[in-house]
């Protein structure tokens, strides 16, 4: 069967560590969507490692890893990432596979991303300018290049055709970018890519399932950034909810068993867009510093706020979440009072539902307060030994969402996870 692990907020929930924790129980880890703007942070032998495209099970030698067709892959970023992982003693020739239908980010995609974002002015999305959005646009526009294409002898001609189209679009923006240096890196990385294990992903994965193998599908970004159900237009370009697993890997829904949702004990968001529980004060800054809330990929400071149970309930519903993992619980150790948003107040009326256009309405979060805990949660070596105040907070979250908090991460370490 296939278990799914995905983020339930605006990304940065700590999914990489959680996938790494679970990976040993699975035969295959498969990444089903997103691009290299994802930064999944792991600590391997005390060393911090940030993965952008490679699935987070790569450091488990008996686990196979698949980059699925729902991902967009930048060959340059991918090559650099492979070199870092290989330097840690991992043989990627044995445990990393790429679906041939995975779309490719080309240098001119990055230029288009930059031109598009600049044209928006104050309404910019907060793109990481890595070419991800334009690559997905070419995918749906039926112009894209895929990993399998690099094996064709006429790949360069296909590339030049797409590049010409992009240069015409850039002219419409009155924008130019010298991509010659990017192209040199790109072609070097394409040669590297050609030597990787490129497979017919949908058949490869289904064959493993029929053989009784256990698969963990790994998502990137967060559910509130889903292109259909997130805070549109401040969203990513793919489906980040569990529905994206089937199209992003070529799996039938019948294979999906558990849906494991990851949430922080509070909320963060990077870039523009609405954030009902955002704290633009000393408390928000305290959360940022205590949680080291700076982007793993970009280094950008993350916006911080209290946990939003309205949004969490919404994303649990959309993905059919069966169990929760709460990360960064230890960050709240420093707060004498902890709060949670239990409803939105819009035009004087309270609601527990996500509005159609969360960007277009002033939302006042209805907050419920809970006593903080006076002892460090990192000292707890089991769920039962967590501070009673924290267990009360967790029980309230479970009751509100109707989903059990099955795991609590109480520190950054690889093994600092407590199972209920």
């Amino acid at each position: 069967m296939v278990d799914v692990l995905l983020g339930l907020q605006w990304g940065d929930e700590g999914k990489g560590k959680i996938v790494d924790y679970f990976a040993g129980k699975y035969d295959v880890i498969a990444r089903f969507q997103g691009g290299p703007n994802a930064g999944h942070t792991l600590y391997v032998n005390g060393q911090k490692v940030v993965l952008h495209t490679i699935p987070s099970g790569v450091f488990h030698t008996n686990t196979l890893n698949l980059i699925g067709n729902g991902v967009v892959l930048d060959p340059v970023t991918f090559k650099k990432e492979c070199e870092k992982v290989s330097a840690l003693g991992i043989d990627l020739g044995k445990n990393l596979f790429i679906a041939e239908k995975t779309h490719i980010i080309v240098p001119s995609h990055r230029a288009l991303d930059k031109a598009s974002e600049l044209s928006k002015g104050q309404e910019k999305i907060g793109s990481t300018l890595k070419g991800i959005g334009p690559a997905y646009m070419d995918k749906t526009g039926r112009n894209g290049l895929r990993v399998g294409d690099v094996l064709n002898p006429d790949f360069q001609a296909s590339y030049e055709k797409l590049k010409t189209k992009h240069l015409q679009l850039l002219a419409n923006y009155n924008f130019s970018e010298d991509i010659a240096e990017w192209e040199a890196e790109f072609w070097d990385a394409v040669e590297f890519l050609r030597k990787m294990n490129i497979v017919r992903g949908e058949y490869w994965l289904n064959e493993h399932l029929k053989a009784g193998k256990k698969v963990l599908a790994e998502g990137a970004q967060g559910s509130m950034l889903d292109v259909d159900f997130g805070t549109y237009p401040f969203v990513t370009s793919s489906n980040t909810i569990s529905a994206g697993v089937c199209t992003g890997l070529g799996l039938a829904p019948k294979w999906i068993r558990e849906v494991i949702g990851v949430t922080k004990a509070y909320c963060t968001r990077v870039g523009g867009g609405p954030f009902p529980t955002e704290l633009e004060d000393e408390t928000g800054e305290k959360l940022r510093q205590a949680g080291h809330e700076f982007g793993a990929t970009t280094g950008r400071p993350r916006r911080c706020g209290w946990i939003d149970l309205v949004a969490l309930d919404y994303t649990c519903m959309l993905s059919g979440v069966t169990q929760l993992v709460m990360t960064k619980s230890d960050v709240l150790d420093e707060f004498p009072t902890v709060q949670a948003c239990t409803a939105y107040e819009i035009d004087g009326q309270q609601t527990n539902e996500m509005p159609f256009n969360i960007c277009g309405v002033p939302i006042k979060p209805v907050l419920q307060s809970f006593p903080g805990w006076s002892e460090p949660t990192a000292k707890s070596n089991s769920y039962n030994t967590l501070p009673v105040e924290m267990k009360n907070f967790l029980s309230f979250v479970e009751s509100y969402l109707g989903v059990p908090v099955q795991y609590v991460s109480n520190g950054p370490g690889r093994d600092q996870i407590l199972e209920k």
Side-chain angles (χ1 to χ4, degrees):
M1 299 296 289
V2 178
D3 292 339
V4 181
L5 191 143
L6 41 76
L8 296 177
Q9 298 168 304
W10 283 278
D12 308 309
E13 299 95 349
K15 297 179 291 298
K17 170 187 169 176
I18 305 305
V19 175
D20 181 56
Y21 175 81
F22 283 119
K25 302 176 183 179
Y26 294 88
D27 302 297
V28 178
I29 310 296
R31 171 85 180 273
F32 66 88
Q33 53 73 225
N37 57 342
H40 290 180
T41 303
L42 312 178
Y43 288 86
V44 182
N45 298 325
Q47 184 173 344
K48 181 179 177 179
V49 181
V50 181
L51 298 176
H52 302 284
T53 307
I54 297 174
S56 299
V58 71
F59 293 104
H60 293 260
T61 54
N62 295 322
T63 301
L64 301 180
N65 297 270
L66 175 70
I67 298 171
N69 58 275
V71 174
V72 289
L73 182 145
D74 179 346
V76 175
T77 303
F78 176 69
K79 179 176 181 287
K80 291 176 181 177
E81 190 177 344
C82 286
E83 289 169 348
K84 287 181 181 178
V85 171
S86 297
L88 294 171
I90 302 300
D91 185 355
L92 296 178
K94 292 183 178 179
N95 72 351
L96 181 62
F97 299 81
I98 309 169
E100 62 185 0
K101 291 184 171 71
T102 302
H103 276 251
I104 292 174
I105 299 171
V106 301
S108 45
H109 280 140
R110 292 167 58 187
L112 278 171
D113 205 353
K114 187 174 180 180
S116 175
E117 189 77 337
L118 287 171
S119 73
K120 292 182 173 72
Q122 295 298 316
E123 297 179 350
K124 63 182 180 179
I125 300 298
S127 168
T128 54
L129 306 180
K130 296 183 180 296
I132 294 162
Y136 274 114
M137 288 173 69
D138 274 334
K139 176 179 179 175
T140 57
R142 300 177 292 279
N143 298 299
L145 297 174
R146 301 181 290 180
V147 167
D149 292 326
V150 304
L151 303 177
N152 295 335
D154 62 348
F155 177 69
Q156 182 150 3
S158 299
Y159 169 84
E160 292 296 338
K161 181 180 177 182
L162 183 60
K163 175 184 169 182
T164 298
K165 178 205 167 197
H166 290 169
L167 293 176
Q168 291 170 347
L169 290 171
L170 288 168
N172 292 337
Y173 281 113
N174 291 318
F175 180 90
S176 63
E177 181 86 47
D178 184 0
I179 64 171
E181 186 175 333
W182 295 351
E183 284 189 298
E185 284 187 312
F186 175 79
W187 287 109
D188 181 55
V190 165
E191 285 302 314
F192 177 85
L193 184 60
R194 286 175 173 142
K195 298 173 185 175
M196 301 300 293
N197 298 313
I198 299 173
V199 297
R200 194 153 292 167
E202 61 273 32
Y203 284 101
W204 185 91
L205 198 53
N206 276 281
E207 285 167 5
H208 279 84
L209 286 169
K210 289 173 184 175
K213 303 298 184 182
K214 294 176 65 179
V215 176
L216 181 65
E218 176 186 13
Q221 288 86 38
S223 298
M224 288 300 292
L225 296 176
D226 185 272
V227 68
D228 282 292
F229 295 101
T231 51
Y232 192 87
F234 295 91
V235 293
T236 194
S237 302
S238 56
N239 286 113
T240 58
I241 60 175
S242 61
V245 172
C246 297
T247 54
L249 293 173
L251 295 176
K254 69 176 183 178
W255 291 110
I256 295 178
R257 183 178 56 177
E258 297 285 336
V259 180
I260 305 162
V262 185
T263 172
K264 280 179 179 164
Y266 51 99
C267 261
T268 61
R269 180 165 194 166
V270 174
F275 185 177
T277 64
E278 183 173 11
L279 295 166
E280 300 181 87
D281 56 12
E282 291 180 3
T283 304
E285 183 58 29
K286 186 176 179 181
L287 272 173
R288 183 177 299 112
Q289 296 301 328
H292 306 289
E293 294 297 351
F294 301 89
T297 299
T298 63
R300 290 186 294 180
R302 296 176 184 141
R303 300 154 64 192
C304 297
W306 297 119
I307 193 169
D308 186 337
L309 297 182
V310 177
L312 267 181
D313 187 53
Y314 175 66
T315 55
C316 284
M317 173 188 75
L318 291 172
S319 284
V321 174
T322 57
Q323 53 184 286
L324 292 165
V325 180
M326 183 174 284
T327 61
K328 291 204 164 184
S329 63
D330 54 304
V331 173
L332 298 184
D333 291 352
E334 301 184 24
F335 294 83
T337 301
V338 172
Q339 293 189 299
C341 173
T342 58
Y344 293 162
E345 184 178 308
I346 303 172
D347 295 329
Q349 300 292 318
Q350 286 193 17
T351 181
N352 298 103
E353 293 187 359
M354 189 63 57
F356 161 66
N357 184 6
I358 191 173
C359 304
V361 292
I363 294 175
K364 179 182 178 182
V366 178
L367 298 171
Q368 183 161 332
S369 297
F370 301 84
W373 33 97
S374 55
E375 53 188 295
T377 55
K379 287 185 176 180
S380 299
N381 55 15
S382 71
Y383 192 99
N384 289 334
T385 59
L386 286 169
V388 64
E389 294 88 355
M390 184 177 187
K391 286 193 285 187
N392 290 339
F393 175 69
L394 294 172
S395 294
F396 179 85
V397 171
E398 289 182 322
S399 175
Y400 187 101
L401 300 175
V403 182
V405 179
Q406 201 65 33
Y407 300 86
V408 176
S409 173
N410 62 332
R414 195 176 189 183
D415 298 318
Q416 285 184 288
I417 298 178
L418 310 177
E419 184 174 358
K420 193 172 183 180

